[in-house]
Every structure is written in C-alpha cells, then in structure tokens.
Amino acid sequence: MSQHRPNTPALLIDEQRFERNLARLNQRLERLGVPLRPHLKTVKNVELARRMLAGQPGGATVSTLAEADYFFADGIADLLYAVGIAPGKLEAAARRIADGMQLTLILDHPDAARAVADAAQRLDTNFRVLLEVDADGHRAGFQPDDPALVESARILANGGATPAGVMVHAGGSYACRDRDCLVRAAEQERLAAVSATEALREAGFEAPVVSVGSTPTATFAQDLTGVTEVRAGVYAFMDLVMAGLGVCELDEIAVSVLTEVIGHRGEHGQVLVDAGWMSLSRDGGTADQAVDRGYGVVCDETGRVLCPEVIVCATNQEHGILARRDREALKLEDFPIGRRLRILPNHACATAGQFEHFWLADPEGRPVRKLERCRGW
C-alpha cells in the first residue's frame, strides 16, 4: 500500500471544505460580536483544533477527560468539559486543575453541586462550574426560573467552588425542518441563557460566563445580546444531518469514509462495499428528515456526489450495501469490483469517532497526509 493510498475503510477530511466551513462560521460570529469556543470532540486532533481556534480567545470545549488531556498536552489549557460532571470523576478533575489545566465543569442538579462542593473542600480545589440550563427539553439542564439553579450556585460558593455562569445547548434545534424554526431555536437558546444569568446575578452572583451553542443555532442566530461565547463543533466537518437542516450543502461536507467495492447483489441491483457500521456508525440521523439518506450518500473517489439517490441503505459490521432510494436497480457495471468510493456520513462525530487516524485530502480528493485522533474517555 503506497504512502498516500490508504487501506479502506479510511476517514478522509477534505482540507479545502474544512477551511471554508471554519471561515463561514467565524465570519458570522464576528458580525454578531461574540467569540467562539469551538467544540473539539468532532475533530479530536490538535492540528485541526488549532485552525479552529485561530483568531479566537483560545478556550475550547471537550466531551471527555481523555480529550482534555490530549489537547492540554499540546498547550490548549482553557477547556470546558461540557458533560455533566460525574462525582466519581472529581478527583481526576482536581488533579488536572492542580497540573495547570483551566478546566471548567458543568452540572444541573443540587446534589451534583453538593458533590462538587464536598470535593472542593476535601481536595482543596476551587472547581469552576457552569450551571447547565435547558432551553428546549432536549436533554439536560435547569429550567431558567427553577429555584434549584440559584440554590446550586449557593451550594457551590459555600463549599469553596466558583459558580461562573451558565451554559445552554439547544439540541432541540436538530428537530427543526426549516430556517424559521432554526432562527427561533437560536433565540430561544439565547433567552434561556440570559434569563438564567439574570436570576443568578439578582441573587448576588457575578456569573460572567453566558455560553450557548450548537452548530444549527450558531449558524442561524440573528442576535446574541447578553451572550459571552458560542460553542459549536460539527460546523468544521458538516454532515448529512446538517445538510438536511439546511445548515450546509452536500458539497460542503468535509468528512467522508473512503471505501472499496467488494461485491454485487445482482438479483437486487445492489453493491457491497467494505464500510459497514464499524466505520460509518449506525447513526440514523436523517431518518426523521424530509430525505432519509440511509447510512450515507455515495460519492466518487474525488468526493463528488454520484447521484443523491445512491445511498448506503443498510450496514453489517464490515459490509455496507449500496442501493438507490427510489428502489431502482443500480447499474452494476458502474461499480466494478475494486472501485473506490467515498461515503458522506449522517453524523460527523459518530463516524469520525470510529477511527484512530484520518487523512487530509486535497481538492482532487487525493489523501495526502495521515494524522492521529485521540480516543477514549
């Protein structure tokens, strides 16, 4: 196997599309006057992370302590661990803070605040904490007017920790089906964050951090008054879910899985490739959208979409099955054994998370450089 001809399946990142995606969001947030704290869980690579951080204050977001360690080792110290803190991880967090990591935690329950306060006293660590606020019922967080929000801030402060502000993730935006819905979701996210912050400040807390973000709301926000930072991560790669939401076009998706044709199902007019759910993931994120893309859209080796109708209709562990959405038979002569293809994935984070390495690809789709990705929790 030559240096620039990776074994399949392989994760490819179109470098030109990646850079355009970064520039697009940076320019938008610059117009709105709010800095970006990029979420690095999608790229999981220092070189790409530094490109995402260029021109920003320098803080980043992670979803695992393993990511925090990996980026901290390369000098990215201001890290928001954007998953509700498990009490069993507080000693590990304290060790990282003692080593110089500027680690911020999040929580959304008074009992979690008590665990942090107890650990702060026991470990002599001033944990910096954001209180997670729920904007849309999607997942976690205090309601903005919940007395438990202020109660938790008091518990933290009385225990020697710092309630530094609030964070909101409008994950419900992924259920939107048009631009107006995304604009409303972004404003709903902002209002939830600002309202919760006002409650904290009225109770005597400075709450300097007002953190919001998701790629859809960051893209469609019209006003970010009262917000101090925006978090987003998928924007760097984009994916089919984002395309289905209208956040990007298919030809702006920077991530794909390189695969090779290994067989035909002639009686079904289908094609087998060597990319199954172990490489593509089984994320069915487009299933509830107007156009169900199965487990990925098929491109030629340069990354050009063959036909939007040609998708990965099913996956086994190491096999993907290509078919047309309209159930017409594929022309098998167009898919000779050994032909290389690329698959645009539903969910960039889930698909990229299957790989330990990726290849940067040039505008012609040629893999030119292999880079590592961090793994683990």
Side-chain angles (χ1 to χ4, degrees):
M1 189 61 57
S2 70
Q3 182 181 0
H4 301 317
R5 185 173 169 81
N7 285 312
T8 55
L11 185 69
L12 300 188
I13 307 301
D14 185 306
E15 191 167 14
Q16 189 174 77
R17 293 182 184 185
F18 173 80
E19 292 291 347
R20 287 173 180 168
N21 291 341
L22 300 192
R24 189 180 307 114
L25 186 62
N26 286 344
Q27 290 164 7
R28 177 167 188 78
L29 294 181
E30 185 177 0
R31 289 195 298 271
L32 292 171
V34 180
L36 178 66
R37 177 183 286 272
H39 206 316
L40 306 181
K41 68 175 183 177
T42 307
V43 299
K44 291 182 182 280
N45 170 266
V46 166
E47 179 178 323
L48 297 191
R50 292 205 176 281
R51 299 191 201 185
M52 294 168 73
L53 286 162
Q56 302 299 333
T61 310
V62 296
S63 60
T64 70
L65 290 178
E67 291 169 12
D69 291 342
Y70 172 77
F71 292 114
F72 179 62
D74 277 272
I76 301 172
D78 179 1
L79 296 166
L80 170 61
Y81 176 32
V83 178
I85 186 62
K89 295 178 181 176
L90 286 168
E91 289 193 14
R95 289 195 298 272
R96 287 161 171 81
I97 293 168
D99 288 340
M101 186 184 294
Q102 300 165 41
L103 185 66
T104 300
L105 310 178
I106 73 167
L107 57 82
D108 72 344
H109 195 282
D111 288 348
R114 290 185 188 95
V116 171
D118 290 346
Q121 294 180 333
R122 185 177 74 254
L123 303 170
D124 191 25
T125 301
N126 181 4
F127 293 106
R128 187 170 187 266
V129 181
L130 298 184
L131 300 168
E132 184 169 8
V133 174
D134 180 16
D136 51 24
H138 171 69
R139 189 169 61 197
F142 297 99
Q143 293 302 306
D145 59 354
D146 186 347
L149 174 77
V150 173
E151 177 192 357
S152 296
R154 286 203 179 100
I155 292 169
L156 290 167
N158 291 339
T162 300
V166 305
M167 68 145 286
V168 185
H169 170 64
S173 62
Y174 282 61
C176 285
R177 294 296 173 264
D178 57 50
R179 182 184 184 280
D180 289 345
C181 177
L182 289 165
V183 171
R184 289 194 301 271
E187 178 62 7
Q188 185 174 331
E189 179 181 58
R190 185 190 73 85
L191 288 174
V194 170
S195 175
T197 302
E198 289 173 350
L200 289 173
R201 290 173 180 168
E202 288 172 3
F205 299 99
E206 291 185 14
V209 179
V210 186
S211 181
V212 305
S214 71
T215 289
T217 55
T219 302
F220 285 89
Q222 305 296 299
D223 176 21
L224 290 174
T225 301
V227 171
T228 64
E229 65 180 29
V230 170
R231 305 178 323 279
V234 176
Y235 78 99
F237 285 175
M238 296 298 188
D239 55 28
L240 293 175
V241 168
M242 291 297 106
L245 290 174
V247 175
C248 71
E249 301 296 332
L250 291 181
D251 63 4
E252 292 171 333
I253 297 173
V255 61
S256 62
V257 174
L258 182 68
T259 187
E260 196 163 305
V261 175
I262 59 172
H264 294 159
R265 302 181 76 208
E267 68 278 21
H268 301 289
Q270 298 175 338
V271 170
L272 295 175
V273 295
D274 65 350
W277 57 256
M278 283 291 287
S279 53
L280 297 173
S281 91
R282 242 181 189 157
D283 190 297
T286 62
D288 294 328
Q289 294 186 329
V291 179
D292 182 359
R293 307 287 191 181
Y295 296 100
V297 168
V298 182
C299 302
D300 65 17
E301 194 173 358
T302 72
R304 180 180 59 85
V305 175
L306 291 177
C307 168
E309 289 295 312
V310 182
I311 63 170
V312 180
C313 71
T315 57
N316 299 119
Q317 182 166 329
E318 305 294 352
H319 295 75
I321 301 175
L322 311 188
R324 289 182 58 97
R325 291 182 59 255
D326 57 15
R327 300 184 184 277
E328 290 186 16
L330 292 173
K331 295 180 180 179
L332 300 183
E333 61 270 22
D334 291 340
F335 298 90
I337 305 300
R339 182 182 181 183
R340 290 198 156 198
L341 303 165
R342 287 163 66 175
I343 310 297
L344 302 179
N346 280 331
H347 185 174
C349 303
T351 295
Q354 308 296 104
F355 294 86
E356 294 182 354
H357 301 90
F358 66 90
W359 290 77
L360 285 179
D362 66 15
E364 285 72 46
R366 293 173 299 211
V368 295
R369 193 151 58 92
K370 186 178 181 180
L371 298 174
E372 67 174 1
R373 303 183 76 250
C374 70
R375 301 291 295 275
W377 282 265

